Amino acid sequence: MAKYLLLIHGVDAEWEAMTSEQKREHDAAHVRFREAAGPRVAGGEELEAASTATTLRSDGAGGLITTDGPFLETKEVLGGFYVLEAADLDEVTRLAALLPEVRAGHSGVEIRPVVEHG
């Protein structure tokens, strides 16, 4: 089994603008995804808004620069993630297609294989 990271990207303002009913439907879709994936879900969490992020970068002289929020201005931000263990990319793609962010006009899901060291 290989590990894959599913990165859920979207527009914060769109998620924040969801009605209570839309939020319930959205959450229910994630429950259905976790049920379908079962033990293949090795981890995952929803993240706080990008405005709560702290970014660390080198200052070029051996020190660090700390900034609030994402380093780059962007419309889409990372909203959450799952780690899946699956036989292959086809299995992961089939499961990821169940996530509501795949069909919303303001979001998407990036699938990346995890490098196994050792």
Side-chain angles (χ1 to χ4, degrees):
M1 297 291 268
K3 285 186 182 176
Y4 295 86
L5 180 63
L6 280 62
L7 297 165
I8 300 170
H9 297 272
V11 178
D12 268 348
E14 295 286 338
W15 282 319
E16 292 168 7
M18 287 194 305
T19 66
S20 295
E21 178 61 27
Q22 288 170 323
K23 288 178 185 178
R24 279 192 297 278
E25 291 172 10
H26 188 264
D27 292 346
H30 278 272
V31 168
R32 289 190 299 274
F33 164 78
R34 287 190 301 275
E35 288 171 349
R40 290 183 293 272
V41 176
E45 298 292 337
E46 179 180 358
L47 300 175
E48 292 288 346
S51 61
T52 67
T54 300
T55 301
L56 299 175
R57 301 256 184 219
S58 169
D59 68 1
L64 294 175
I65 298 172
T66 304
T67 56
D68 293 333
F71 183 71
L72 299 173
E73 288 296 323
T74 180
K75 285 187 174 185
E76 285 194 347
V77 297
L78 184 62
F81 66 93
Y82 286 103
V83 177
L84 292 184
E85 294 179 342
D88 55 32
L89 181 59
D90 290 338
E91 182 179 19
V92 175
T93 301
R94 181 180 54 77
L95 290 167
L98 299 173
L99 292 168
E101 291 83 4
V102 172
R103 288 177 178 73
H106 68 88
S107 57
V109 176
E110 176 184 346
I111 301 170
R112 304 230 353 231
V114 174
V115 175
E116 297 288 339
H117 294 277

